[in-house]
Amino acid sequence: MTSLSETIVNKLQLLPRQKQQQFLDSLEDEDLLTNVSPAELQAFASLSIAPDEQAKLSDLLARNTEDQLSTEELEKLDRLLDQLDQLNILKARAQYTLQYFNQASAA
């Protein structure tokens, strides 16, 4: 019985040398989202913060510049900013992955 890794190696050997190298390079690139479909990548790339969360964030940021936030509100602002950072990282990784695979398929 052939193992999964043997099957992958056998299939990889059928590809042209350049495609083999691209595949191997993609395994080493931690920013690529390789287990996600192109449709999911498109969805991730177009994500945005929910309108109600955007309104809360805008309010907290405006009030923060005037030093009008309570301790709880400062914590909420920090959580929202952390969530926004994570969202932007996911979007960037999705866009990077789409660009990487579009370039690889054009080569």
Side-chain angles (χ1 to χ4, degrees):
M1 178 175 223
T2 305
S3 71
L4 178 60
S5 59
E6 290 173 327
T7 302
I8 292 171
V9 168
N10 290 338
K11 296 288 184 187
L12 188 59
Q13 290 173 345
L14 298 175
L15 295 173
R17 189 71 76 193
Q18 182 182 10
K19 293 289 184 183
Q20 290 177 21
Q21 190 58 50
Q22 287 174 341
F23 175 78
L24 295 173
D25 290 346
S26 73
L27 294 177
E28 296 173 6
D29 192 337
E30 295 176 3
D31 289 326
L32 287 176
L33 300 173
T34 55
N35 294 327
V36 182
S37 74
E40 291 168 323
L41 289 170
Q42 289 288 353
F44 289 157
S46 64
L47 286 174
S48 62
I49 189 169
D52 62 323
E53 293 296 308
Q54 180 62 56
K56 287 179 195 173
L57 179 61
S58 296
D59 175 60
L60 290 170
L61 287 170
R63 292 181 37 229
N64 187 48
T65 61
E66 300 167 4
D67 292 325
Q68 295 180 347
L69 295 182
S70 67
T71 302
E72 294 83 22
E73 290 171 320
L74 280 171
E75 290 172 358
K76 174 69 174 175
L77 177 59
D78 284 342
R79 280 193 306 276
L80 284 172
L81 290 173
D82 285 343
Q83 290 171 356
L84 187 57
D85 286 345
Q86 291 302 313
L87 176 67
N88 286 330
I89 290 169
L90 176 61
K91 287 176 65 165
R93 289 181 67 196
Q95 291 166 349
Y96 172 70
T97 303
L98 284 167
Q99 181 180 18
Y100 179 89
F101 288 116
N102 285 339
Q103 288 175 350
S105 65

